[in-house]
């Protein structure tokens, strides 16, 4: 399941906003509520970014001609934390499990834990950090997001892959 399908309804497509055009398409509020209930009950085990970037020109086409998909990686945790944890659907440990240990377990990947010998893939989160979604500041080459301008809570401040720093908010903020 994706953060956008757990938080947005078909109203995001009003005005034929191609930044909200995705597959499967967004549904009504009752469907979002059902997905959230299934997530809470454990019927849905994982939350994934569904990162599907597209160029500006591709998404600026007529709604029917524009490709499906949005940039999901850079907003996934903050959207899920804001809407699902602060919204009372999941606890923070449940959200972290659904975005890390559960997918690793399901796909039989060696990561997803802090166990000795496991890959040193670690994300340090600041759940209290407010961030305004600014697509122009994305590291992705794409900007297609329906969350532009929204204030969200939570941010990945440090990411290690195989023990090497690949993202550090403090380092990128330095002059």
């Amino acid at each position: 399941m994706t953060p956008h399908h757990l938080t947005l309804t078909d109203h995001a497509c009003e005005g034929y906003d191609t930044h909200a055009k995705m597959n499967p398409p967004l549904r009504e509020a009752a469907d979002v509520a059902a997905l959230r209930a299934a997530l809470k009950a454990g019927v849905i085990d994982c939350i994934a970014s569904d990162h599907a970037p597209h160029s500006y020109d591709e998404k600026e086409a007529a709604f029917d001609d524009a490709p499906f998909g949005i940039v999901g990686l850079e907003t996934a945790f903050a959207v899920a934390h804001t809407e699902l944890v602060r919204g009372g659907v999941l606890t923070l440990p449940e959200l972290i499990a659904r975005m890390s240990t559960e997918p690793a377990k399901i796909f039989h990947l060696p990561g997803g834990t802090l166990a000795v010998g496991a890959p040193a893939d670690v994300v340090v989160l600041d759940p209290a950090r407010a961030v305004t979604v600014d697509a122009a500041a994305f590291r992705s080459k794409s900007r297609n997001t329906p969350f532009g301008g929204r204030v969200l809570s939570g941010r990945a401040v440090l990411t290690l892959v195989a023990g090497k720093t690949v993202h550090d908010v403090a380092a990128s903020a330095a002059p």
Side-chain angles (χ1 to χ4, degrees), residues 47 77 80-81 84-85 90-99:
I47 299 173
F77 176 74
H81 181 263
L84 302 175
V85 174
L90 297 175
T91 64
L92 182 57
E94 287 172 328
L95 175 62
I96 290 169
R98 300 295 173 83
M99 295 184 86

Side-chain angles (χ1 to χ4, degrees), residues 56-91:
Y56 174 83
D57 291 340
E58 288 176 305
K59 282 301 227 181
E60 286 303 307
F63 193 84
D64 285 345
D65 298 329
F68 296 104
I70 68 170
V71 172
L73 186 60
E74 295 187 59
T75 58
F77 176 74
V79 167
H81 181 263
T82 302
E83 297 289 329
L84 302 175
V85 174
R86 289 203 163 177
V89 177
L90 297 175
T91 64

Side-chain angles (χ1 to χ4, degrees), residues 48 68 82 102 106 119 125 131 146 148 167:
F68 296 104
T82 302
E102 289 302 315
I106 290 166
L125 303 167
V131 61
H167 171 71

Side-chain angles (χ1 to χ4, degrees), residues 7-166:
T7 61
L8 297 173
T9 67
D10 54 349
H11 292 290
C13 293
E14 289 177 354
Y16 299 101
D17 183 0
T18 60
H19 293 298
K21 182 181 179 186
M22 54 199 70
N23 195 13
L26 296 172
R27 307 290 186 187
E28 297 177 1
D31 296 308
V32 172
L35 290 173
R36 287 180 174 202
L39 180 69
K40 181 65 179 169
V43 174
I44 296 173
D45 338 67
C46 301
I47 299 173
S49 70
D50 189 32
H51 187 70
H54 295 284
S55 73
Y56 174 83
D57 291 340
E58 288 176 305
K59 282 301 227 181
E60 286 303 307
F63 193 84
D64 285 345
D65 298 329
F68 296 104
I70 68 170
V71 172
L73 186 60
E74 295 187 59
T75 58
F77 176 74
V79 167
H81 181 263
T82 302
E83 297 289 329
L84 302 175
V85 174
R86 289 203 163 177
V89 177
L90 297 175
T91 64
L92 182 57
E94 287 172 328
L95 175 62
I96 290 169
R98 300 295 173 83
M99 295 184 86
S100 62
T101 54
E102 289 302 315
K105 199 179 333 176
I106 290 166
F107 291 105
H108 307 288
L109 300 172
T113 73
L114 297 176
V116 173
D121 297 342
V122 178
V123 177
V124 177
L125 303 167
D126 181 350
R129 188 170 190 159
V131 61
T132 301
V133 178
D134 177 7
F138 282 178
R139 306 275 292 217
S140 174
K141 292 179 181 178
S142 298
R143 309 284 178 250
N144 51 302
T145 179
F147 298 107
R150 286 200 45 198
V151 177
L152 303 172
S153 68
R155 181 164 186 188
V157 293
L158 179 70
T159 305
L160 305 173
V161 176
K164 293 183 172 66
T165 300
V166 297

